[in-house]
Every structure is written in structure tokens, then in C-alpha cells.
């Protein structure tokens, strides 16, 4: 399913940009969320079993708003600061983000003590697999989000590819992700344990760097696609096991909050990756000059690869036996 999504998402996005319904241009890609969001909502209400935790959480609207504000104050300067010339408000929002994160943590602690229910459960961090898996999920999301964004920008604005060309070039990447998740990761993880995501991180790092070099040398789409296949296999072999590893030893009473924390960290990492890596990308590319974009992509892919190598070193700290017998 993840591989199919990795293929279908860019293809649908490329078609929407090509067709530009209502003259929306690239903004039309957000229309994808409407039908699939409604389908997921209906399917969830009708197909999912009505299981409930023995320690069900109460809705935490103030905590959610604090988390939203803290993340927004962190991301907005990173996204808009470079183009605006880094005005004073970027530093002010950065400081405000630190205060908001601190306030969020304090509020959640008090809520937990008072109601026994909060968005974060500190007891989960006593489990080494959860702690390392959550950190690795953040690192992976930063790498993948930053790489895929700068890859698409470079091909279109640097090498003159059309949106549908870029979408079709994602197909070998998606096939690699599919193979990594459904074949390599699923079959090898129970037998080889932590070595599977470690090797996946290294293969993904090598594939991303090689792809960036191929783009820098303006190789043929076939050559770029072959290297994307390698990067996709590494990504699937890494991303597929991260969820099972993170949640393998979690107390079932905390399954809901553990799954939510894992998914939230994944989304935050993706947002940070696109914001931070894109900022570096446009700084190197002199604000978006086409001839500098392949070089900028090579630089940011080096950052992505470094992140993935650090992630591989982190994963060495996982227990030898990931799943209880």
C-alpha cells in the first residue's frame, strides 16, 4: 500500500498540475485530500472494529492548540524567513516557539497529574525500542520530505521537466519503496532484526546521493530512474520496519497514544525536512536560479545522506531481539 501510494500520489499530483482545474496551478494538488479524506472517514466509521483502550484518553483541545502554535512558530520563520530577508519577527517567532514548547510540556504534565490523560505519555520513553524508534522516525521523515521536495523542484525548474515527467519518474522510486516494505522489510525483519533498517538507511543514503549526482550531470531519465529505484528500496526497507519496531513493546493500554505520538512525530519531521532543507536549497541556488539548482540539490542530498547515516548509527542501539518471543 505504501508503495502504491508513493507511485499514485506523484502521478495524480502531476496530472492535476498539468490540467490545472479552476486555474489553480500547483495549488490543485491539495484537492487530492478531498476525495481520499472522505473515503478514509467513511471507511473508518464503517469498517474499523470498535476497540477501546482500557485507559482511553480524553480530548485535549488546549494541548492540541499549544502543540499547533509551537510547531507553527517554529516552521513559519524557516519557510518564509529567507525570502523575507530574515526580519526581526523570524527571531521573535523562534523564541516564542521555545516558550510554547516549554508551556506545552508543562501543561501536559499538569493535565496528566490531574486527569490521568494527556497527549504524551512519559512512561513510553522508558522502552528503548520506542525511544529509538521515535527518534529514527523523526530523522527519516526529515530526510525523505526534504529529498523528495528538492528533487521535484530541481527537475522542473532546473532541468525543464514537466510536472507529468516528474510524476512518471517517481514510478521506479515507488516500486522500490513497495519492494522494500512488502518483500525485504516484512520478510527479513523477524529474522535479521535491527540490521534491516540499518542497511535500509545506508542504501537510501547512497541512492539519494547517487540520484543527486546523476541530476547534476544531467543523465538520462532512465539512469535517474534506476538510481531512484535503489533509493526507494532503501527507503522501504527503512520506513517499513520503523512502525513495528517503535510500537513492538508498548503496553496495550497505551497503544492509542503511542500510535498517535509515532504518527505525529512523522508529520512534524516531514514538515521540518521540507522547511529546513528547502531553505538551505534556495540559499545555495541563489534564490532559485535554474543553473544553480542541480548543485543545490547535490548539497542538500549530502545533508540528507548524513542524516541517514546518523540514523543508521542510532538504530544500532536497538535491542538484538526486537520482538518478544
Amino acid at each position: 500500500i505504501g508503495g502504491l501510494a508513493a507511485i499514485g500520489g506523484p502521478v495524480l499530483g502531476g496530472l492535476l498540475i498539468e490540467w490545472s482545474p479552476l486555474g489553480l496551478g500547483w495549488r490543485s494538488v491539495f484537492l487530492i485530500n478531498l476525495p481520499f479524506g472522505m473515503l478514509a472517514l467513511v471507511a473508518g466509521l464503517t469498517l474499523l472494529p470498535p476497540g477501546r483502550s482500557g485507559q482511553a484518553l480524553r480530548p485535549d483541545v488546549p494541548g492540541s492548540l499549544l502543540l499547533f502554535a509551537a510547531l507553527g512558530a517554529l516552521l513559519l520563520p524557516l519557510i518564509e524567513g529567507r525570502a523575507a530577508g530574515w526580519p526581526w519577527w523570524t527571531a521573535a517567532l523562534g523564541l516564542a516557539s521555545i516558550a510554547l514548547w516549554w508551556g506545552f510540556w508543562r501543561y501536559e504534565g499538569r493535565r496528566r497529574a490531574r486527569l490521568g490523560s494527556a497527549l504524551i505519555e512519559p512512561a513510553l520513553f522508558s522502552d528503548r525500542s520506542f525511544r529509538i524508534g521515535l527518534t529514527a522516525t523523526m530523522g527519516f521523515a526529515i530526510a525523505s520530505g526534504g529529498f523528495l521536495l528538492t528533487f521535484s523542484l530541481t527537475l522542473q525548474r532546473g532541468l525543464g521537466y514537466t510536472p507529468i515527467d516528474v510524476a512518471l519518474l517517481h514510478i521506479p522510486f515507488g516500486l522500490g519503496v513497495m519492494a522494500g516494505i512488502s518483500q525485504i522489510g516484512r520478510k527479513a525483519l523477524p529474522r535479521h532484526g535491527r540490521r534491516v533498517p540499518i542497511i535500509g538507511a545506508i542504501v537510501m543514503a547512497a541512492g539519494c546521493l547517487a540520484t543527486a549526482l546523476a541530476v547534476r550531470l544531467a543523465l538520462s531519465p532512465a539512469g535517474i530512474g534506476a538510481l531512484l529505484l535503489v533509493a526507494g528500496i532503501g527507503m522501504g526497507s527503512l520506513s517499513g520496519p520503523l512502525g513495528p519496531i517503535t510500537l513492538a513493546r508498548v503496553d496495550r493500554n497505551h497503544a492509542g497514544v503511542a500510535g498517535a505520538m509515532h504518527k505525529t512525530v512523522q508529520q512534524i519531521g516531514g514538515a521540518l525536512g521540507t522547511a529546513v532543507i528547502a531553505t538551505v536549497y534556495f540559499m545555495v541556488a541563489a534564490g532559485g536560479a535554474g543553473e544553480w539548482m542541480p548543485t543545490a540539490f547535490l548539497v542538500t542530498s549530502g545533508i540528507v545522506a548524513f542524516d541517514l547515516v546518523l540514523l543508521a548509527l542510532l538504530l544500532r542501539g536497538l535491542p538484538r531481539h526486537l520482538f518478544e518471543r
Side-chain angles (χ1 to χ4, degrees), residues 266-315:
Q266 190 178 55
Q267 297 301 316
I268 291 174
L272 281 173
T274 54
V276 174
I277 293 180
T279 296
V280 175
Y281 176 83
F282 281 112
M283 289 174 67
V284 177
E291 65 273 13
W292 281 98
M293 283 190 159
T295 300
F297 180 48
L298 186 59
V299 171
T300 53
S301 295
I303 297 172
V304 166
F306 180 70
D307 173 33
L308 291 167
V309 170
L310 290 179
L311 197 156
L313 295 174
L314 171 70
L315 291 170

mmCIF file of all heavy atoms in Angstrom, residues 266-315:
data_model
loop_
_atom_site.group_PDB
_atom_site.id
_atom_site.type_symbol
_atom_site.label_atom_id
_atom_site.label_comp_id
_atom_site.label_asym_id
_atom_site.label_seq_id
_atom_site.Cartn_x
_atom_site.Cartn_y
_atom_site.Cartn_z
ATOM 1 N N GLN A 266 6.179 11.710 12.916
ATOM 2 C CA GLN A 266 6.403 11.534 11.478
ATOM 3 C C GLN A 266 5.989 12.778 10.701
ATOM 4 O O GLN A 266 6.719 13.250 9.815
ATOM 5 C CB GLN A 266 5.621 10.318 11.008
ATOM 6 C CG GLN A 266 5.939 9.850 9.602
ATOM 7 C CD GLN A 266 5.151 8.603 9.258
ATOM 8 O OE1 GLN A 266 3.927 8.576 9.352
ATOM 9 N NE2 GLN A 266 5.849 7.549 8.872
ATOM 10 N N GLN A 267 4.833 13.340 11.037
ATOM 11 C CA GLN A 267 4.355 14.533 10.342
ATOM 12 C C GLN A 267 5.213 15.758 10.660
ATOM 13 O O GLN A 267 5.515 16.572 9.779
ATOM 14 C CB GLN A 267 2.889 14.799 10.725
ATOM 15 C CG GLN A 267 1.931 13.700 10.310
ATOM 16 C CD GLN A 267 1.937 13.451 8.815
ATOM 17 O OE1 GLN A 267 1.934 14.394 8.030
ATOM 18 N NE2 GLN A 267 1.962 12.202 8.411
ATOM 19 N N ILE A 268 5.610 15.899 11.928
ATOM 20 C CA ILE A 268 6.475 17.024 12.307
ATOM 21 C C ILE A 268 7.811 16.923 11.582
ATOM 22 O O ILE A 268 8.340 17.919 11.073
ATOM 23 C CB ILE A 268 6.674 17.059 13.832
ATOM 24 C CG1 ILE A 268 5.362 17.439 14.532
ATOM 25 C CG2 ILE A 268 7.772 18.054 14.214
ATOM 26 C CD1 ILE A 268 5.433 17.353 16.042
ATOM 27 N N GLY A 269 8.369 15.715 11.517
ATOM 28 C CA GLY A 269 9.637 15.523 10.813
ATOM 29 C C GLY A 269 9.534 15.875 9.341
ATOM 30 O O GLY A 269 10.431 16.518 8.773
ATOM 31 N N GLY A 270 8.435 15.472 8.695
ATOM 32 C CA GLY A 270 8.257 15.822 7.291
ATOM 33 C C GLY A 270 8.166 17.321 7.079
ATOM 34 O O GLY A 270 8.748 17.876 6.131
ATOM 35 N N ALA A 271 7.457 18.002 7.978
ATOM 36 C CA ALA A 271 7.350 19.465 7.877
ATOM 37 C C ALA A 271 8.702 20.131 8.098
ATOM 38 O O ALA A 271 9.079 21.068 7.383
ATOM 39 C CB ALA A 271 6.327 19.978 8.885
ATOM 40 N N LEU A 272 9.456 19.653 9.093
ATOM 41 C CA LEU A 272 10.779 20.217 9.352
ATOM 42 C C LEU A 272 11.726 19.967 8.187
ATOM 43 O O LEU A 272 12.513 20.841 7.813
ATOM 44 C CB LEU A 272 11.366 19.611 10.632
ATOM 45 C CG LEU A 272 10.860 20.160 11.956
ATOM 46 C CD1 LEU A 272 11.406 19.338 13.109
ATOM 47 C CD2 LEU A 272 11.258 21.622 12.114
ATOM 48 N N GLY A 273 11.647 18.765 7.607
ATOM 49 C CA GLY A 273 12.524 18.440 6.488
ATOM 50 C C GLY A 273 12.295 19.344 5.303
ATOM 51 O O GLY A 273 13.247 19.895 4.719
ATOM 52 N N THR A 274 11.024 19.535 4.940
ATOM 53 C CA THR A 274 10.734 20.400 3.802
ATOM 54 C C THR A 274 11.107 21.847 4.089
ATOM 55 O O THR A 274 11.590 22.554 3.204
ATOM 56 C CB THR A 274 9.248 20.313 3.416
ATOM 57 O OG1 THR A 274 8.444 20.595 4.570
ATOM 58 C CG2 THR A 274 8.897 18.937 2.896
ATOM 59 N N ALA A 275 10.924 22.286 5.330
ATOM 60 C CA ALA A 275 11.227 23.679 5.666
ATOM 61 C C ALA A 275 12.731 23.927 5.727
ATOM 62 O O ALA A 275 13.256 24.846 5.087
ATOM 63 C CB ALA A 275 10.572 24.049 6.996
ATOM 64 N N VAL A 276 13.453 23.112 6.497
ATOM 65 C CA VAL A 276 14.884 23.354 6.713
ATOM 66 C C VAL A 276 15.682 23.074 5.454
ATOM 67 O O VAL A 276 16.514 23.889 5.020
ATOM 68 C CB VAL A 276 15.388 22.487 7.886
ATOM 69 C CG1 VAL A 276 16.902 22.622 8.026
ATOM 70 C CG2 VAL A 276 14.705 22.892 9.181
ATOM 71 N N ILE A 277 15.454 21.901 4.847
ATOM 72 C CA ILE A 277 16.258 21.527 3.685
ATOM 73 C C ILE A 277 15.943 22.430 2.492
ATOM 74 O O ILE A 277 16.832 22.795 1.722
ATOM 75 C CB ILE A 277 16.058 20.038 3.364
ATOM 76 C CG1 ILE A 277 16.660 19.202 4.506
ATOM 77 C CG2 ILE A 277 16.692 19.667 2.032
ATOM 78 C CD1 ILE A 277 16.540 17.716 4.340
ATOM 79 N N ALA A 278 14.674 22.822 2.340
ATOM 80 C CA ALA A 278 14.346 23.750 1.253
ATOM 81 C C ALA A 278 15.001 25.107 1.466
ATOM 82 O O ALA A 278 15.412 25.763 0.498
ATOM 83 C CB ALA A 278 12.834 23.898 1.137
ATOM 84 N N THR A 279 15.108 25.546 2.718
ATOM 85 C CA THR A 279 15.777 26.823 2.994
ATOM 86 C C THR A 279 17.241 26.763 2.563
ATOM 87 O O THR A 279 17.752 27.674 1.890
ATOM 88 C CB THR A 279 15.679 27.159 4.493
ATOM 89 O OG1 THR A 279 14.308 27.349 4.842
ATOM 90 C CG2 THR A 279 16.448 28.429 4.814
ATOM 91 N N VAL A 280 17.937 25.693 2.939
ATOM 92 C CA VAL A 280 19.336 25.522 2.515
ATOM 93 C C VAL A 280 19.424 25.446 0.989
ATOM 94 O O VAL A 280 20.304 26.047 0.361
ATOM 95 C CB VAL A 280 19.932 24.253 3.163
ATOM 96 C CG1 VAL A 280 21.344 24.001 2.643
ATOM 97 C CG2 VAL A 280 19.928 24.371 4.669
ATOM 98 N N TYR A 281 18.493 24.736 0.407
ATOM 99 C CA TYR A 281 18.469 24.545 -1.055
ATOM 100 C C TYR A 281 18.401 25.887 -1.786
ATOM 101 O O TYR A 281 19.193 26.156 -2.691
ATOM 102 C CB TYR A 281 17.264 23.668 -1.400
ATOM 103 C CG TYR A 281 17.016 23.442 -2.871
ATOM 104 C CD1 TYR A 281 17.708 22.459 -3.571
ATOM 105 C CD2 TYR A 281 16.067 24.202 -3.551
ATOM 106 C CE1 TYR A 281 17.460 22.235 -4.911
ATOM 107 C CE2 TYR A 281 15.814 23.987 -4.890
ATOM 108 C CZ TYR A 281 16.510 23.001 -5.569
ATOM 109 O OH TYR A 281 16.260 22.788 -6.891
ATOM 110 N N PHE A 282 17.477 26.742 -1.376
ATOM 111 C CA PHE A 282 17.323 28.010 -2.075
ATOM 112 C C PHE A 282 18.455 28.985 -1.756
ATOM 113 O O PHE A 282 18.763 29.869 -2.565
ATOM 114 C CB PHE A 282 15.971 28.637 -1.754
ATOM 115 C CG PHE A 282 14.838 28.018 -2.525
ATOM 116 C CD1 PHE A 282 13.878 27.262 -1.876
ATOM 117 C CD2 PHE A 282 14.754 28.178 -3.894
ATOM 118 C CE1 PHE A 282 12.836 26.691 -2.585
ATOM 119 C CE2 PHE A 282 13.725 27.612 -4.616
ATOM 120 C CZ PHE A 282 12.756 26.868 -3.959
ATOM 121 N N MET A 283 19.070 28.842 -0.594
ATOM 122 C CA MET A 283 20.241 29.666 -0.301
ATOM 123 C C MET A 283 21.395 29.304 -1.234
ATOM 124 O O MET A 283 22.077 30.184 -1.771
ATOM 125 C CB MET A 283 20.645 29.495 1.165
ATOM 126 C CG MET A 283 19.672 30.133 2.150
ATOM 127 S SD MET A 283 20.080 29.783 3.886
ATOM 128 C CE MET A 283 21.630 30.671 4.047
ATOM 129 N N VAL A 284 21.615 28.002 -1.445
ATOM 130 C CA VAL A 284 22.684 27.570 -2.355
ATOM 131 C C VAL A 284 22.322 27.899 -3.799
ATOM 132 O O VAL A 284 23.180 28.273 -4.606
ATOM 133 C CB VAL A 284 22.946 26.059 -2.190
ATOM 134 C CG1 VAL A 284 24.009 25.578 -3.185
ATOM 135 C CG2 VAL A 284 23.388 25.740 -0.758
ATOM 136 N N ALA A 285 21.033 27.776 -4.131
ATOM 137 C CA ALA A 285 20.590 28.006 -5.514
ATOM 138 C C ALA A 285 20.401 29.478 -5.826
ATOM 139 O O ALA A 285 19.767 29.807 -6.838
ATOM 140 C CB ALA A 285 19.280 27.259 -5.758
ATOM 141 N N ALA A 286 20.929 30.353 -4.999
ATOM 142 C CA ALA A 286 20.872 31.805 -5.243
ATOM 143 C C ALA A 286 19.447 32.277 -5.458
ATOM 144 O O ALA A 286 19.142 33.040 -6.376
ATOM 145 C CB ALA A 286 21.742 32.175 -6.442
ATOM 146 N N GLY A 287 18.545 31.775 -4.581
ATOM 147 C CA GLY A 287 17.164 32.228 -4.636
ATOM 148 C C GLY A 287 16.321 31.572 -5.699
ATOM 149 O O GLY A 287 15.177 31.941 -5.893
ATOM 150 N N GLY A 288 16.880 30.552 -6.420
ATOM 151 C CA GLY A 288 16.056 29.845 -7.395
ATOM 152 C C GLY A 288 16.540 29.973 -8.824
ATOM 153 O O GLY A 288 15.797 29.692 -9.759
ATOM 154 N N ALA A 289 17.799 30.391 -9.031
ATOM 155 C CA ALA A 289 18.344 30.446 -10.382
ATOM 156 C C ALA A 289 18.497 29.025 -10.923
ATOM 157 O O ALA A 289 19.095 28.174 -10.285
ATOM 158 C CB ALA A 289 19.699 31.159 -10.374
ATOM 159 N N GLY A 290 17.941 28.766 -12.123
ATOM 160 C CA GLY A 290 17.871 27.412 -12.643
ATOM 161 C C GLY A 290 19.208 26.706 -12.744
ATOM 162 O O GLY A 290 19.327 25.526 -12.429
ATOM 163 N N GLU A 291 20.262 27.414 -13.183
ATOM 164 C CA GLU A 291 21.549 26.748 -13.388
ATOM 165 C C GLU A 291 22.201 26.307 -12.087
ATOM 166 O O GLU A 291 23.067 25.419 -12.082
ATOM 167 C CB GLU A 291 22.504 27.670 -14.159
ATOM 168 C CG GLU A 291 22.906 28.942 -13.426
ATOM 169 C CD GLU A 291 21.932 30.084 -13.644
ATOM 170 O OE1 GLU A 291 20.821 29.822 -14.152
ATOM 171 O OE2 GLU A 291 22.274 31.235 -13.296
ATOM 172 N N TRP A 292 21.799 26.895 -10.959
ATOM 173 C CA TRP A 292 22.371 26.527 -9.669
ATOM 174 C C TRP A 292 21.584 25.412 -8.973
ATOM 175 O O TRP A 292 22.052 24.865 -7.984
ATOM 176 C CB TRP A 292 22.432 27.746 -8.754
ATOM 177 C CG TRP A 292 23.591 28.648 -9.057
ATOM 178 C CD1 TRP A 292 23.581 29.800 -9.801
ATOM 179 C CD2 TRP A 292 24.943 28.458 -8.647
ATOM 180 N NE1 TRP A 292 24.831 30.342 -9.875
ATOM 181 C CE2 TRP A 292 25.696 29.535 -9.167
ATOM 182 C CE3 TRP A 292 25.599 27.484 -7.905
ATOM 183 C CZ2 TRP A 292 27.062 29.658 -8.962
ATOM 184 C CZ3 TRP A 292 26.957 27.609 -7.681
ATOM 185 C CH2 TRP A 292 27.680 28.684 -8.213
ATOM 186 N N MET A 293 20.413 25.096 -9.487
ATOM 187 C CA MET A 293 19.553 24.145 -8.774
ATOM 188 C C MET A 293 20.135 22.737 -8.680
ATOM 189 O O MET A 293 20.053 22.104 -7.628
ATOM 190 C CB MET A 293 18.170 24.127 -9.397
ATOM 191 C CG MET A 293 17.336 25.332 -8.984
ATOM 192 S SD MET A 293 15.634 25.180 -9.482
ATOM 193 C CE MET A 293 14.875 26.343 -8.336
ATOM 194 N N PRO A 294 20.714 22.167 -9.763
ATOM 195 C CA PRO A 294 21.321 20.840 -9.610
ATOM 196 C C PRO A 294 22.438 20.797 -8.567
ATOM 197 O O PRO A 294 22.582 19.818 -7.828
ATOM 198 C CB PRO A 294 21.849 20.530 -11.015
ATOM 199 C CG PRO A 294 20.960 21.326 -11.922
ATOM 200 C CD PRO A 294 20.693 22.595 -11.174
ATOM 201 N N THR A 295 23.231 21.875 -8.503
ATOM 202 C CA THR A 295 24.277 21.941 -7.477
ATOM 203 C C THR A 295 23.669 22.007 -6.080
ATOM 204 O O THR A 295 24.124 21.336 -5.150
ATOM 205 C CB THR A 295 25.169 23.166 -7.718
ATOM 206 O OG1 THR A 295 25.775 23.064 -9.013
ATOM 207 C CG2 THR A 295 26.259 23.255 -6.654
ATOM 208 N N ALA A 296 22.619 22.829 -5.932
ATOM 209 C CA ALA A 296 21.942 22.919 -4.634
ATOM 210 C C ALA A 296 21.338 21.581 -4.237
ATOM 211 O O ALA A 296 21.369 21.203 -3.062
ATOM 212 C CB ALA A 296 20.852 23.997 -4.698
ATOM 213 N N PHE A 297 20.798 20.865 -5.201
ATOM 214 C CA PHE A 297 20.217 19.547 -4.919
ATOM 215 C C PHE A 297 21.292 18.575 -4.454
ATOM 216 O O PHE A 297 21.068 17.772 -3.534
ATOM 217 C CB PHE A 297 19.527 19.022 -6.179
ATOM 218 C CG PHE A 297 18.897 17.674 -6.013
ATOM 219 C CD1 PHE A 297 18.076 17.393 -4.929
ATOM 220 C CD2 PHE A 297 19.119 16.676 -6.954
ATOM 221 C CE1 PHE A 297 17.484 16.133 -4.782
ATOM 222 C CE2 PHE A 297 18.542 15.426 -6.821
ATOM 223 C CZ PHE A 297 17.720 15.151 -5.730
ATOM 224 N N LEU A 298 22.479 18.654 -5.047
ATOM 225 C CA LEU A 298 23.575 17.783 -4.614
ATOM 226 C C LEU A 298 23.990 18.112 -3.182
ATOM 227 O O LEU A 298 24.258 17.210 -2.377
ATOM 228 C CB LEU A 298 24.763 17.949 -5.569
ATOM 229 C CG LEU A 298 25.956 17.014 -5.354
ATOM 230 C CD1 LEU A 298 25.543 15.555 -5.480
ATOM 231 C CD2 LEU A 298 27.071 17.344 -6.355
ATOM 232 N N VAL A 299 24.029 19.404 -2.843
ATOM 233 C CA VAL A 299 24.397 19.813 -1.481
ATOM 234 C C VAL A 299 23.372 19.318 -0.466
ATOM 235 O O VAL A 299 23.721 18.717 0.554
ATOM 236 C CB VAL A 299 24.533 21.346 -1.402
ATOM 237 C CG1 VAL A 299 24.691 21.800 0.053
ATOM 238 C CG2 VAL A 299 25.718 21.819 -2.231
ATOM 239 N N THR A 300 22.097 19.547 -0.741
ATOM 240 C CA THR A 300 21.065 19.132 0.219
ATOM 241 C C THR A 300 20.943 17.616 0.291
ATOM 242 O O THR A 300 20.632 17.075 1.352
ATOM 243 C CB THR A 300 19.704 19.747 -0.147
ATOM 244 O OG1 THR A 300 19.383 19.443 -1.503
ATOM 245 C CG2 THR A 300 19.723 21.247 0.055
ATOM 246 N N SER A 301 21.219 16.929 -0.806
ATOM 247 C CA SER A 301 21.209 15.461 -0.759
ATOM 248 C C SER A 301 22.353 14.943 0.107
ATOM 249 O O SER A 301 22.235 13.892 0.748
ATOM 250 C CB SER A 301 21.311 14.879 -2.170
ATOM 251 O OG SER A 301 20.172 15.203 -2.925
ATOM 252 N N GLY A 302 23.463 15.682 0.139
ATOM 253 C CA GLY A 302 24.532 15.336 1.066
ATOM 254 C C GLY A 302 24.088 15.465 2.512
ATOM 255 O O GLY A 302 24.423 14.628 3.358
ATOM 256 N N ILE A 303 23.290 16.501 2.804
ATOM 257 C CA ILE A 303 22.729 16.663 4.148
ATOM 258 C C ILE A 303 21.784 15.518 4.470
ATOM 259 O O ILE A 303 21.801 14.954 5.575
ATOM 260 C CB ILE A 303 22.003 18.021 4.262
ATOM 261 C CG1 ILE A 303 22.993 19.176 4.074
ATOM 262 C CG2 ILE A 303 21.291 18.145 5.611
ATOM 263 C CD1 ILE A 303 22.326 20.534 3.991
ATOM 264 N N VAL A 304 20.951 15.142 3.492
ATOM 265 C CA VAL A 304 20.024 14.021 3.668
ATOM 266 C C VAL A 304 20.798 12.739 3.953
ATOM 267 O O VAL A 304 20.453 11.964 4.860
ATOM 268 C CB VAL A 304 19.137 13.861 2.423
ATOM 269 C CG1 VAL A 304 18.411 12.516 2.418
ATOM 270 C CG2 VAL A 304 18.131 14.998 2.344
ATOM 271 N N ALA A 305 21.854 12.498 3.180
ATOM 272 C CA ALA A 305 22.644 11.277 3.374
ATOM 273 C C ALA A 305 23.308 11.267 4.750
ATOM 274 O O ALA A 305 23.370 10.223 5.419
ATOM 275 C CB ALA A 305 23.698 11.167 2.268
ATOM 276 N N PHE A 306 23.810 12.411 5.178
ATOM 277 C CA PHE A 306 24.430 12.498 6.506
ATOM 278 C C PHE A 306 23.414 12.190 7.604
ATOM 279 O O PHE A 306 23.704 11.470 8.553
ATOM 280 C CB PHE A 306 25.015 13.901 6.698
ATOM 281 C CG PHE A 306 25.685 14.117 8.024
ATOM 282 C CD1 PHE A 306 26.878 13.486 8.325
ATOM 283 C CD2 PHE A 306 25.105 14.937 8.976
ATOM 284 C CE1 PHE A 306 27.502 13.672 9.559
ATOM 285 C CE2 PHE A 306 25.717 15.139 10.207
ATOM 286 C CZ PHE A 306 26.913 14.505 10.496
ATOM 287 N N ASP A 307 22.216 12.732 7.450
ATOM 288 C CA ASP A 307 21.129 12.450 8.389
ATOM 289 C C ASP A 307 20.848 10.947 8.455
ATOM 290 O O ASP A 307 20.678 10.368 9.526
ATOM 291 C CB ASP A 307 19.889 13.219 7.955
ATOM 292 C CG ASP A 307 18.651 12.878 8.765
ATOM 293 O OD1 ASP A 307 18.787 12.585 9.967
ATOM 294 O OD2 ASP A 307 17.534 12.912 8.214
ATOM 295 N N LEU A 308 20.812 10.287 7.291
ATOM 296 C CA LEU A 308 20.503 8.858 7.255
ATOM 297 C C LEU A 308 21.629 8.015 7.850
ATOM 298 O O LEU A 308 21.376 6.979 8.473
ATOM 299 C CB LEU A 308 20.225 8.437 5.812
ATOM 300 C CG LEU A 308 18.913 8.991 5.217
ATOM 301 C CD1 LEU A 308 18.880 8.787 3.711
ATOM 302 C CD2 LEU A 308 17.713 8.332 5.876
ATOM 303 N N VAL A 309 22.870 8.447 7.665
ATOM 304 C CA VAL A 309 23.991 7.717 8.278
ATOM 305 C C VAL A 309 23.922 7.829 9.806
ATOM 306 O O VAL A 309 24.139 6.844 10.525
ATOM 307 C CB VAL A 309 25.329 8.253 7.737
ATOM 308 C CG1 VAL A 309 26.500 7.683 8.544
ATOM 309 C CG2 VAL A 309 25.489 7.886 6.269
ATOM 310 N N LEU A 310 23.619 9.031 10.312
ATOM 311 C CA LEU A 310 23.430 9.192 11.753
ATOM 312 C C LEU A 310 22.293 8.307 12.250
ATOM 313 O O LEU A 310 22.362 7.713 13.335
ATOM 314 C CB LEU A 310 23.137 10.653 12.088
ATOM 315 C CG LEU A 310 24.279 11.644 11.923
ATOM 316 C CD1 LEU A 310 23.800 13.047 12.289
ATOM 317 C CD2 LEU A 310 25.472 11.257 12.787
ATOM 318 N N LEU A 311 21.236 8.217 11.453
ATOM 319 C CA LEU A 311 20.096 7.391 11.814
ATOM 320 C C LEU A 311 20.509 5.918 11.901
ATOM 321 O O LEU A 311 20.088 5.191 12.806
ATOM 322 C CB LEU A 311 19.003 7.590 10.758
ATOM 323 C CG LEU A 311 17.570 7.160 11.062
ATOM 324 C CD1 LEU A 311 16.620 7.966 10.192
ATOM 325 C CD2 LEU A 311 17.378 5.686 10.768
ATOM 326 N N ALA A 312 21.335 5.465 10.946
ATOM 327 C CA ALA A 312 21.814 4.079 10.983
ATOM 328 C C ALA A 312 22.623 3.810 12.250
ATOM 329 O O ALA A 312 22.496 2.742 12.871
ATOM 330 C CB ALA A 312 22.656 3.786 9.738
ATOM 331 N N LEU A 313 23.458 4.771 12.647
ATOM 332 C CA LEU A 313 24.225 4.618 13.885
ATOM 333 C C LEU A 313 23.299 4.572 15.097
ATOM 334 O O LEU A 313 23.527 3.794 16.041
ATOM 335 C CB LEU A 313 25.224 5.762 14.027
ATOM 336 C CG LEU A 313 26.337 5.814 12.977
ATOM 337 C CD1 LEU A 313 27.169 7.087 13.136
ATOM 338 C CD2 LEU A 313 27.237 4.574 13.082
ATOM 339 N N LEU A 314 22.253 5.394 15.091
ATOM 340 C CA LEU A 314 21.282 5.392 16.179
ATOM 341 C C LEU A 314 20.599 4.033 16.301
ATOM 342 O O LEU A 314 20.408 3.514 17.409
ATOM 343 C CB LEU A 314 20.241 6.489 15.939
ATOM 344 C CG LEU A 314 19.022 6.493 16.877
ATOM 345 C CD1 LEU A 314 19.442 6.906 18.280
ATOM 346 C CD2 LEU A 314 17.948 7.445 16.348
ATOM 347 N N LEU A 315 20.232 3.438 15.178
ATOM 348 C CA LEU A 315 19.498 2.169 15.184
ATOM 349 C C LEU A 315 20.343 1.012 15.713
ATOM 350 O O LEU A 315 19.800 -0.029 16.090
ATOM 351 C CB LEU A 315 18.995 1.850 13.777
ATOM 352 C CG LEU A 315 17.880 2.770 13.254
ATOM 353 C CD1 LEU A 315 17.626 2.516 11.774
ATOM 354 C CD2 LEU A 315 16.594 2.559 14.047
#
